[in-house]
Amino acid sequence: MNEKLIEEAKLYIQEIFKDNSDGHDANHSLRVYKNALQIAKAYPECNMTVVALSSLLHDVDDHKLFDTTDNMNARQFLKSHDIGNDDIELICQIINGVSFSKNKEKHPETLEGKIVQDADRIDAIGAVGIARTFAYGGKAGRPLESSVQHFHDKLLLLKDKMNTQEAKKIAESRHLYMEEFLREFQKESKI
């Protein structure tokens, strides 16, 4: 894996997300990257550079954050670092397969895509997922109850939508933590 390229990608996401605080920030992308590398270790046949770049760049064109088309920000970064067209297309395909709302019942075709989708979904659950849900809900002006509904609409479904065995193991404990949180929230929030 090209460490210099990966460091450049990390700097790029720090810059592009510098004003974001709703849970879709550089730290989110860095956690997805860390999750992806952890999962990928169990699959030595995967292309680690593609996994790394896809996970780091997966939100640089997110429709909730940017008004871009055809992965413009990701493509610009990749082209400026002399990534070949085939790899750019693969990375963009993986990035486009990450979004839960756009890919609810779809599973990526490549192992690298499965790893990155799982890594992003892992960051949406557990303690970090809980914090991100309320950060985004606050920015969007949602009441607490609306953010709690998001757990039932999406987050509690993610454990069973993991693609890889490695991600399923990680997701299990995070899922249990969310269930415990929701029980406590329900108990404390009764009026």
Side-chain angles (χ1 to χ4, degrees):
M1 190 163 55
N2 182 337
E3 294 299 328
K4 184 176 185 309
L5 175 61
I6 301 309
E7 288 307 311
E8 291 288 327
K10 289 178 182 178
L11 291 172
Y12 177 68
I13 63 170
Q14 292 288 346
E15 178 62 26
I16 203 165
F17 293 119
K18 69 180 174 194
D19 296 324
N20 189 295
S21 61
D22 71 358
H24 294 88
D25 55 7
N27 286 336
H28 163 63
S29 293
L30 290 170
R31 287 190 306 270
V32 171
Y33 165 74
K34 179 183 158 210
N35 292 340
L37 293 186
Q38 180 182 355
I39 296 166
K41 284 180 188 173
Y43 306 96
E45 68 273 22
C46 77
N47 182 326
M48 290 295 281
T49 300
V50 167
V51 167
L53 290 172
S54 300
S55 59
L56 287 168
L57 301 173
H58 81 278
D59 269 348
V60 299
D61 291 289
D62 187 310
H63 70 279
K64 294 183 293 296
L65 309 171
F66 302 99
D67 187 23
T68 59
T69 57
D70 195 32
N71 304 96
M72 183 182 79
N73 289 333
R75 286 180 188 280
Q76 183 178 4
F77 173 84
L78 296 167
K79 285 179 183 176
S80 72
H81 288 81
D82 298 321
I83 304 300
N85 285 335
D86 289 346
D87 282 340
I88 290 174
E89 292 310 314
L90 176 57
I91 290 167
C92 288
Q93 174 190 349
I94 291 168
I95 289 170
N96 293 336
V98 171
S99 169
F100 178 80
S101 61
K102 293 181 180 177
N103 298 287
K104 283 184 185 172
E105 300 305 323
K106 296 178 190 170
H107 297 279
E109 295 176 15
T110 65
L111 175 59
E112 293 82 2
K114 291 175 181 177
I115 290 169
V116 176
Q117 187 184 71
D118 283 353
D120 182 60
R121 290 177 174 185
I122 285 170
D123 200 57
I125 60 178
V128 168
I130 292 168
R132 288 181 64 220
T133 297
F134 290 105
Y136 188 80
K139 183 176 181 183
R142 294 181 186 152
L144 288 178
E145 293 75 16
S146 180
S147 289
V148 168
Q149 184 58 44
H150 183 66
F151 286 83
H152 301 286
D153 295 340
K154 174 184 175 183
L155 304 184
L156 293 172
L157 307 176
L158 293 178
K159 175 182 69 82
D160 295 327
K161 295 191 178 293
M162 297 294 163
N163 300 293
T164 63
Q165 288 303 314
E166 195 65 24
K168 289 176 184 179
K169 291 179 206 171
I170 298 166
E172 187 64 39
S173 64
R174 290 182 182 219
H175 181 85
L176 293 173
Y177 187 85
M178 287 191 308
E179 288 180 328
E180 179 58 34
F181 168 80
L182 289 171
R183 281 191 290 275
E184 185 65 22
F185 182 88
Q186 184 177 29
K187 186 171 71 174
E188 292 180 18
S189 65
K190 283 187 180 174
I191 299 174

